[in-house]
Amino acid sequence: MREISPYFFQQIRQDSSKSARKIEPQEKEVLFILHDQLNLAIFPQQILARKPKLVIVESSAYANFIPHHQKKLAYILSAQRHFAIECVAAGYQVLNLFTMDSYAQALRELLTENPQLNLTYMQPSEWDTRQAMTQLKLDFAPRVSLIANTFFLADLAKFQNKIAKGYRLETFYRQMRKSTGFLMQGDQPMGGKWNYDQENRKKLPKAEKIPAIASILPDQITLEVMAEIAEFFPRNFGVLAGFSYAVTREQALGLAQQFISERLAKFGDYEDALKEGEPFLFHSVLSLYLNNGLLLPGELCEMAIAAFKEGIAPLNSVEGFIRQILGWREYMRVYYEAMMPGVRSSNHFGFKLNLPQMYWNGETKLACLQSAIASVIQHGYSHHIQRLMILSNFSNLTFSDPAQLNQWFWFAYIDAYEWVELPNVLGMAVYADGGILASKPYVSGGNYINKMSDHCGNCAYDVKQKTGEKACPFNYLYWNFVDTCRQDFAENGRVSLMANMYDQKSEAEKQEIKASAQAFIQNLARR
Ligand code: SF4
């Protein structure tokens, strides 16, 4: 049998077969670093000053519980291993454990076999890992200590109990701007407006040149990880070849600087635009680095503000970028903390149909969906409008089970951890919580997609036709949805107009809409 990861274990000066038993009797303190907490600067200095042995766990159970994108597994594991090597270089001893079980189970064995050992860990962001660690802490009290998770900017105690119908992201965002002072002049927003969203909905001109994101060539550690992913997770979602993401903080900072100098200036204008064959456009594609700690939210906001002050990027772009990090991202986390675990099973509309098969293989004649899914299969990434207005919109319009869509987003996206993905999908995108996070269901017909993209020109369907075989399915599916879920439209001032518009259609048109929608939904290949 071949040795697993020989180069990596050589780099961290550890025998790859080393088990928990090999902890020396005089070693009394270990600090557990989870795969999404890869930044020692965030850990309390008084703990680091004692130079505890760092325990890093590679959990097969975590990798296996859903069929995570192969690039996502490669990214998580490679970033974790690079972090371990950097810690060794910084003078820490690192114990890298591999387990077929959960993180908590590996640590349970470590503590059982080494009764002199005390363990400290930071609060995990994801619910299941947190629950398992809480049980470990109880079982091994007082040997296990918990420290607060400091990878976020919002004070949970201040906001968590505000999450309820009527409390909106915009209110939260303004409070966060005030408390951090980001883009503020005294107690007023810089430039006089809190939000420049109205300016950030431009269609991309055909001639607009899009700067490429630098590719990071896989080094020996990443190549070793990729070989192991190919061997052990060959049937997982997505394509492994072509991995070019950063795997160290230094590389991620380089990509952040490249974004600030080359793409931030136009990020705002074309934030919502879509273009065939251009999955990244002017987006930062930094969320994967933020979500495992390689980059920190505060430093990215500060870099963007500095770019504004130096005249590198205009206010609408900088404010839009900061709203994503300081507003949207932090709000997702607060919502998750307030709503778990009940929100996992939320299904406001009661949709039960399996998710369409195309989400796995990208095989569809709908050009906008084909493009979005191809990007996810290839890169584990698509930007927020594809997530919201194409993939989630279509799932809702075809009455697909929100739990299945939620799980798909969780395993298919390279930046997806449950704390951020679940609120985005169940709360915002498909209105499964019945309006606690979003003020209205985010659904649309083909017109919106046509306005924001160049997909419709390459599509087998005609965006101008409303019903029938050649008509854009988004058109009749949208009106069918408005009618079927009319309660949520009729009662909501912002969208009640749509229910009224449907009612004003002729009976013949209504029948055509229903017939087209029914035929499409019935014939859709599902998982
Ligand atoms: Fe999508 Fe409809 Fe446009 Fe085709 S015509 S790309 S299905 S919006």
Side-chain angles (χ1 to χ4, degrees), residues 15 38 48 55 84 127 134 176 194 282-283 287 292 297 319 342 372 440 442 446 457 507 514:
D15 177 351
L38 304 184
L48 297 180
V55 176
W127 182 264
T134 303
M176 289 298 292
W194 291 101
F282 292 94
H283 289 263
S287 47
N292 74 344
E319 187 282 316
K440 63 184 175 69
Y442 277 91
E507 279 312 309
K514 289 280 161 194

Side-chain angles (χ1 to χ4, degrees), residues 365-369 446 449-450 455-456 459-463 472-474:
K365 290 192 290 180
L366 285 84
C368 52
L369 272 158
I449 298 168
N450 191 31
H455 293 312
C456 299
C459 189
Y461 297 98
D462 181 354
V463 73
C472 167
F474 279 92

